[in-house]
Short mmCIF file of all heavy atoms in Angstrom, two decimals:
data_model
loop_
_atom_site.label_atom_id
_atom_site.label_comp_id
_atom_site.label_asym_id
_atom_site.label_seq_id
_atom_site.Cartn_x
_atom_site.Cartn_y
_atom_site.Cartn_z
N SER A 343 -12.11 15.14 23.59
CA SER A 343 -11.37 15.48 24.80
C SER A 343 -12.19 16.37 25.71
O SER A 343 -12.19 16.20 26.94
CB SER A 343 -10.06 16.18 24.42
OG SER A 343 -9.26 15.35 23.60
N ARG A 344 -12.91 17.32 25.12
CA ARG A 344 -13.72 18.23 25.93
C ARG A 344 -14.93 17.53 26.53
O ARG A 344 -15.34 17.83 27.65
CB ARG A 344 -14.14 19.43 25.08
CG ARG A 344 -12.99 20.40 24.81
CD ARG A 344 -13.31 21.38 23.72
NE ARG A 344 -12.25 22.40 23.60
CZ ARG A 344 -12.08 23.19 22.54
NH1 ARG A 344 -12.91 23.06 21.49
NH2 ARG A 344 -11.11 24.07 22.51
N GLU A 345 -15.52 16.62 25.78
CA GLU A 345 -16.71 15.93 26.28
C GLU A 345 -16.39 15.08 27.50
O GLU A 345 -17.19 15.01 28.45
CB GLU A 345 -17.29 15.04 25.18
CG GLU A 345 -18.48 14.20 25.60
CD GLU A 345 -19.70 15.02 25.99
OE1 GLU A 345 -19.86 16.14 25.43
OE2 GLU A 345 -20.48 14.57 26.84
N TYR A 346 -15.20 14.47 27.52
CA TYR A 346 -14.89 13.51 28.58
C TYR A 346 -13.75 13.97 29.49
O TYR A 346 -13.21 13.18 30.26
CB TYR A 346 -14.59 12.15 27.97
CG TYR A 346 -15.78 11.62 27.20
CD1 TYR A 346 -15.79 11.59 25.82
CD2 TYR A 346 -16.93 11.21 27.88
CE1 TYR A 346 -16.92 11.14 25.12
CE2 TYR A 346 -18.04 10.75 27.20
CZ TYR A 346 -18.03 10.73 25.81
OH TYR A 346 -19.14 10.30 25.13
N ASP A 347 -13.38 15.26 29.40
CA ASP A 347 -12.34 15.81 30.27
C ASP A 347 -11.06 14.98 30.20
O ASP A 347 -10.46 14.61 31.23
CB ASP A 347 -12.82 15.90 31.71
CG ASP A 347 -13.85 17.00 31.91
OD1 ASP A 347 -13.67 18.09 31.32
OD2 ASP A 347 -14.83 16.78 32.62
N LEU A 348 -10.62 14.69 28.99
CA LEU A 348 -9.39 13.95 28.75
C LEU A 348 -8.44 14.82 27.94
O LEU A 348 -8.83 15.85 27.38
CB LEU A 348 -9.69 12.64 28.03
CG LEU A 348 -10.46 11.61 28.87
CD1 LEU A 348 -11.02 10.50 28.00
CD2 LEU A 348 -9.57 11.03 29.97
N LEU A 349 -7.19 14.42 27.88
CA LEU A 349 -6.21 15.20 27.16
C LEU A 349 -6.13 14.73 25.71
O LEU A 349 -6.23 13.54 25.42
CB LEU A 349 -4.83 15.04 27.81
CG LEU A 349 -4.75 15.43 29.28
CD1 LEU A 349 -3.30 15.33 29.77
CD2 LEU A 349 -5.28 16.83 29.53
N PRO A 350 -5.97 15.66 24.79
CA PRO A 350 -5.86 15.28 23.38
C PRO A 350 -4.57 14.54 23.11
O PRO A 350 -3.55 14.76 23.77
CB PRO A 350 -5.90 16.62 22.64
CG PRO A 350 -5.44 17.62 23.64
CD PRO A 350 -5.88 17.12 24.99
N VAL A 351 -4.62 13.66 22.12
CA VAL A 351 -3.45 12.84 21.80
C VAL A 351 -2.66 13.40 20.62
O VAL A 351 -1.65 12.83 20.22
CB VAL A 351 -3.87 11.39 21.48
CG1 VAL A 351 -4.51 10.74 22.70
CG2 VAL A 351 -4.83 11.34 20.28
N THR A 352 -3.11 14.52 20.08
CA THR A 352 -2.40 15.14 18.95
C THR A 352 -1.83 16.49 19.35
O THR A 352 -2.37 17.19 20.22
CB THR A 352 -3.35 15.34 17.75
OG1 THR A 352 -4.42 16.21 18.13
CG2 THR A 352 -3.91 14.00 17.27
N ASN A 353 -0.73 16.86 18.70
CA ASN A 353 -0.10 18.14 18.99
C ASN A 353 -0.99 19.31 18.61
O ASN A 353 -1.06 20.32 19.32
CB ASN A 353 1.24 18.24 18.25
CG ASN A 353 2.29 17.30 18.80
OD1 ASN A 353 2.55 17.29 20.00
ND2 ASN A 353 2.90 16.50 17.95
N SER A 354 -1.68 19.19 17.47
CA SER A 354 -2.51 20.30 17.01
C SER A 354 -3.63 20.60 18.00
O SER A 354 -3.85 21.77 18.35
CB SER A 354 -3.09 19.98 15.63
OG SER A 354 -3.84 18.77 15.65
N ALA A 355 -4.31 19.57 18.49
CA ALA A 355 -5.38 19.79 19.46
C ALA A 355 -4.82 20.25 20.81
O ALA A 355 -5.42 21.08 21.50
CB ALA A 355 -6.21 18.53 19.63
N SER A 356 -3.66 19.74 21.18
CA SER A 356 -3.03 20.15 22.44
C SER A 356 -2.68 21.63 22.42
O SER A 356 -2.84 22.34 23.43
CB SER A 356 -1.76 19.33 22.70
OG SER A 356 -2.06 17.96 22.89
N GLN A 357 -2.20 22.12 21.29
CA GLN A 357 -1.85 23.53 21.17
C GLN A 357 -3.08 24.42 21.34
O GLN A 357 -3.02 25.47 21.98
CB GLN A 357 -1.17 23.78 19.83
CG GLN A 357 0.22 23.20 19.73
CD GLN A 357 0.78 23.20 18.32
OE1 GLN A 357 0.15 23.69 17.38
NE2 GLN A 357 1.97 22.63 18.15
N VAL A 358 -4.21 23.97 20.77
CA VAL A 358 -5.45 24.74 20.94
C VAL A 358 -5.86 24.76 22.40
O VAL A 358 -6.15 25.82 22.97
CB VAL A 358 -6.58 24.14 20.07
CG1 VAL A 358 -7.91 24.81 20.39
CG2 VAL A 358 -6.26 24.28 18.59
N MET A 359 -5.87 23.59 23.04
CA MET A 359 -6.31 23.50 24.43
C MET A 359 -5.43 24.30 25.39
O MET A 359 -5.89 24.77 26.42
CB MET A 359 -6.34 22.03 24.87
CG MET A 359 -7.65 21.33 24.60
SD MET A 359 -7.78 19.82 25.60
CE MET A 359 -9.53 19.52 25.49
N SER A 360 -4.16 24.42 25.05
CA SER A 360 -3.23 25.09 25.96
C SER A 360 -3.37 26.61 25.92
O SER A 360 -2.77 27.30 26.75
CB SER A 360 -1.79 24.71 25.62
OG SER A 360 -1.43 25.19 24.34
N THR A 361 -4.18 27.13 25.00
CA THR A 361 -4.25 28.58 24.83
C THR A 361 -5.63 29.18 25.01
O THR A 361 -5.74 30.39 25.20
CB THR A 361 -3.73 28.98 23.43
OG1 THR A 361 -4.51 28.31 22.44
CG2 THR A 361 -2.26 28.60 23.26
N VAL A 362 -6.69 28.37 24.99
CA VAL A 362 -8.03 28.95 25.04
C VAL A 362 -8.62 28.85 26.44
O VAL A 362 -8.37 27.88 27.18
CB VAL A 362 -8.98 28.27 24.01
CG1 VAL A 362 -8.46 28.48 22.60
CG2 VAL A 362 -9.14 26.79 24.30
N LYS A 363 -9.41 29.84 26.80
CA LYS A 363 -9.99 29.92 28.14
C LYS A 363 -10.91 28.75 28.42
O LYS A 363 -11.02 28.28 29.56
CB LYS A 363 -10.74 31.24 28.27
CG LYS A 363 -11.28 31.51 29.67
CD LYS A 363 -11.93 32.87 29.75
CE LYS A 363 -12.44 33.15 31.17
NZ LYS A 363 -13.08 34.50 31.25
N GLN A 364 -11.58 28.27 27.38
CA GLN A 364 -12.53 27.17 27.52
C GLN A 364 -11.91 25.94 28.18
O GLN A 364 -12.57 25.20 28.89
CB GLN A 364 -13.08 26.80 26.14
CG GLN A 364 -13.98 25.58 26.12
CD GLN A 364 -14.43 25.22 24.71
OE1 GLN A 364 -14.14 25.95 23.76
NE2 GLN A 364 -15.13 24.11 24.57
N ASP A 365 -10.61 25.75 27.94
CA ASP A 365 -9.92 24.54 28.42
C ASP A 365 -8.98 24.83 29.58
O ASP A 365 -8.08 24.03 29.86
CB ASP A 365 -9.15 23.90 27.26
CG ASP A 365 -10.05 23.56 26.09
OD1 ASP A 365 -11.09 22.92 26.31
OD2 ASP A 365 -9.72 23.95 24.96
N ALA A 366 -9.20 25.93 30.28
CA ALA A 366 -8.28 26.32 31.35
C ALA A 366 -8.15 25.27 32.43
O ALA A 366 -7.06 25.05 32.99
CB ALA A 366 -8.74 27.65 31.96
N ASP A 367 -9.25 24.57 32.74
CA ASP A 367 -9.20 23.56 33.81
C ASP A 367 -8.27 22.40 33.48
O ASP A 367 -7.74 21.74 34.38
CB ASP A 367 -10.60 23.01 34.09
CG ASP A 367 -11.49 24.01 34.83
OD1 ASP A 367 -10.94 25.00 35.34
OD2 ASP A 367 -12.70 23.80 34.88
N LEU A 368 -8.09 22.13 32.19
CA LEU A 368 -7.25 21.00 31.79
C LEU A 368 -5.78 21.38 31.64
O LEU A 368 -4.93 20.51 31.49
CB LEU A 368 -7.76 20.41 30.48
CG LEU A 368 -9.06 19.61 30.56
CD1 LEU A 368 -9.55 19.24 29.16
CD2 LEU A 368 -8.88 18.34 31.39
N GLN A 369 -5.49 22.67 31.68
CA GLN A 369 -4.11 23.09 31.41
C GLN A 369 -3.08 22.55 32.41
O GLN A 369 -1.97 22.21 32.01
CB GLN A 369 -4.05 24.62 31.29
CG GLN A 369 -4.69 25.10 30.00
CD GLN A 369 -4.72 26.61 29.84
OE1 GLN A 369 -4.03 27.32 30.55
NE2 GLN A 369 -5.53 27.08 28.91
N PRO A 370 -3.40 22.43 33.71
CA PRO A 370 -2.41 21.81 34.61
C PRO A 370 -2.05 20.38 34.20
O PRO A 370 -0.90 19.96 34.35
CB PRO A 370 -3.11 21.84 35.97
CG PRO A 370 -4.09 22.96 35.87
CD PRO A 370 -4.57 22.92 34.46
N PHE A 371 -3.02 19.65 33.67
CA PHE A 371 -2.74 18.28 33.22
C PHE A 371 -1.94 18.30 31.92
O PHE A 371 -1.05 17.46 31.73
CB PHE A 371 -4.06 17.53 33.02
CG PHE A 371 -4.84 17.33 34.28
CD1 PHE A 371 -5.82 18.24 34.64
CD2 PHE A 371 -4.60 16.25 35.11
CE1 PHE A 371 -6.55 18.07 35.82
CE2 PHE A 371 -5.31 16.07 36.29
CZ PHE A 371 -6.29 16.99 36.64
N LEU A 372 -2.24 19.25 31.05
CA LEU A 372 -1.47 19.37 29.80
C LEU A 372 -0.01 19.68 30.10
O LEU A 372 0.89 19.18 29.43
CB LEU A 372 -2.06 20.48 28.93
CG LEU A 372 -3.35 20.15 28.17
CD1 LEU A 372 -3.98 21.42 27.62
CD2 LEU A 372 -3.05 19.17 27.04
N GLU A 373 0.22 20.49 31.13
CA GLU A 373 1.60 20.84 31.50
C GLU A 373 2.36 19.63 32.02
O GLU A 373 3.57 19.53 31.86
CB GLU A 373 1.58 21.96 32.54
CG GLU A 373 1.09 23.30 32.00
CD GLU A 373 0.83 24.31 33.10
OE1 GLU A 373 1.08 23.98 34.29
OE2 GLU A 373 0.38 25.43 32.78
N GLU A 374 1.64 18.71 32.65
CA GLU A 374 2.28 17.51 33.18
C GLU A 374 2.57 16.47 32.10
O GLU A 374 3.46 15.64 32.26
CB GLU A 374 1.39 16.86 34.25
CG GLU A 374 1.34 17.60 35.57
CD GLU A 374 2.66 17.53 36.31
OE1 GLU A 374 3.10 16.43 36.67
OE2 GLU A 374 3.28 18.60 36.49
N LEU A 375 1.82 16.50 30.99
CA LEU A 375 1.94 15.45 29.99
C LEU A 375 3.36 15.29 29.44
O LEU A 375 3.85 14.16 29.34
CB LEU A 375 0.95 15.68 28.85
CG LEU A 375 0.82 14.56 27.82
CD1 LEU A 375 0.44 13.25 28.49
CD2 LEU A 375 -0.21 14.92 26.75
N PRO A 376 4.07 16.39 29.09
CA PRO A 376 5.44 16.20 28.58
C PRO A 376 6.39 15.60 29.62
O PRO A 376 7.44 15.08 29.26
CB PRO A 376 5.87 17.63 28.21
CG PRO A 376 4.61 18.38 28.02
CD PRO A 376 3.65 17.80 29.02
N LEU A 377 6.02 15.69 30.90
CA LEU A 377 6.87 15.16 31.98
C LEU A 377 6.41 13.79 32.43
O LEU A 377 6.95 13.24 33.40
CB LEU A 377 6.83 16.12 33.18
CG LEU A 377 7.17 17.58 32.91
CD1 LEU A 377 6.95 18.41 34.17
CD2 LEU A 377 8.60 17.72 32.42
N SER A 378 5.44 13.22 31.74
CA SER A 378 4.83 12.00 32.22
C SER A 378 5.51 10.74 31.68
O SER A 378 6.19 10.78 30.66
CB SER A 378 3.35 11.96 31.84
OG SER A 378 3.18 11.85 30.44
N GLN A 379 5.32 9.67 32.41
CA GLN A 379 5.79 8.34 31.99
C GLN A 379 4.60 7.40 31.98
O GLN A 379 3.80 7.39 32.91
CB GLN A 379 6.86 7.83 32.95
CG GLN A 379 7.42 6.46 32.59
CD GLN A 379 8.56 6.05 33.51
OE1 GLN A 379 9.41 6.86 33.85
NE2 GLN A 379 8.57 4.80 33.92
N LEU A 380 4.47 6.62 30.92
CA LEU A 380 3.34 5.71 30.78
C LEU A 380 3.73 4.31 31.24
O LEU A 380 4.90 3.96 31.36
CB LEU A 380 2.86 5.66 29.34
CG LEU A 380 1.94 6.80 28.87
CD1 LEU A 380 2.71 8.10 28.71
CD2 LEU A 380 1.24 6.44 27.56
N TYR A 381 2.71 3.48 31.49
CA TYR A 381 2.96 2.08 31.73
C TYR A 381 3.77 1.49 30.56
O TYR A 381 3.70 1.99 29.44
CB TYR A 381 1.65 1.29 31.78
CG TYR A 381 0.63 1.72 32.80
CD1 TYR A 381 -0.68 1.98 32.41
CD2 TYR A 381 0.95 1.82 34.15
CE1 TYR A 381 -1.66 2.34 33.34
CE2 TYR A 381 -0.02 2.19 35.07
CZ TYR A 381 -1.31 2.45 34.66
OH TYR A 381 -2.27 2.81 35.58
N PRO A 382 4.49 0.41 30.78
CA PRO A 382 5.21 -0.25 29.68
C PRO A 382 4.24 -1.05 28.80
O PRO A 382 4.32 -2.27 28.68
CB PRO A 382 6.22 -1.15 30.40
CG PRO A 382 5.58 -1.46 31.71
CD PRO A 382 4.80 -0.22 32.09
N VAL A 383 3.31 -0.32 28.17
CA VAL A 383 2.22 -0.97 27.43
C VAL A 383 2.71 -1.69 26.18
O VAL A 383 2.01 -2.53 25.62
CB VAL A 383 1.12 0.04 27.06
CG1 VAL A 383 0.35 0.47 28.29
CG2 VAL A 383 1.71 1.25 26.34
N GLY A 384 3.91 -1.35 25.70
CA GLY A 384 4.45 -2.02 24.53
C GLY A 384 5.04 -3.39 24.83
O GLY A 384 5.45 -4.10 23.92
N TRP A 385 5.08 -3.77 26.10
CA TRP A 385 5.61 -5.08 26.51
C TRP A 385 4.45 -6.05 26.63
O TRP A 385 3.47 -5.79 27.33
CB TRP A 385 6.33 -4.97 27.85
CG TRP A 385 7.50 -4.04 27.87
CD1 TRP A 385 7.83 -3.11 26.92
CD2 TRP A 385 8.49 -3.93 28.89
NE1 TRP A 385 8.95 -2.41 27.29
CE2 TRP A 385 9.39 -2.91 28.50
CE3 TRP A 385 8.71 -4.60 30.10
CZ2 TRP A 385 10.48 -2.53 29.28
CZ3 TRP A 385 9.81 -4.22 30.88
CH2 TRP A 385 10.68 -3.21 30.46
N THR A 386 4.53 -7.16 25.95
CA THR A 386 3.44 -8.13 26.01
C THR A 386 3.27 -8.72 27.40
O THR A 386 2.22 -9.26 27.72
CB THR A 386 3.67 -9.26 25.00
OG1 THR A 386 4.94 -9.88 25.25
CG2 THR A 386 3.64 -8.74 23.57
N SER A 387 4.28 -8.59 28.24
CA SER A 387 4.19 -9.09 29.62
C SER A 387 3.41 -8.15 30.53
O SER A 387 3.04 -8.54 31.65
CB SER A 387 5.60 -9.28 30.19
OG SER A 387 6.32 -8.05 30.15
#
Side-chain angles (χ1 to χ4, degrees):
S343 301
R344 286 166 173 162
E345 177 64 29
Y346 299 107
D347 288 319
L348 292 166
L349 303 185
V351 296
T352 61
N353 290 308
S354 57
S356 295
Q357 289 168 4
V358 172
M359 271 198 163
S360 66
T361 58
V362 298
K363 186 176 181 180
Q364 174 183 355
D365 303 310
D367 287 346
L368 287 172
Q369 288 177 15
F371 296 93
L372 283 167
E373 291 169 2
E374 287 291 297
L375 188 57
L377 306 174
S378 67
Q379 181 175 318
L380 280 72
Y381 302 128
V383 290
W385 299 14
T386 56
S387 58

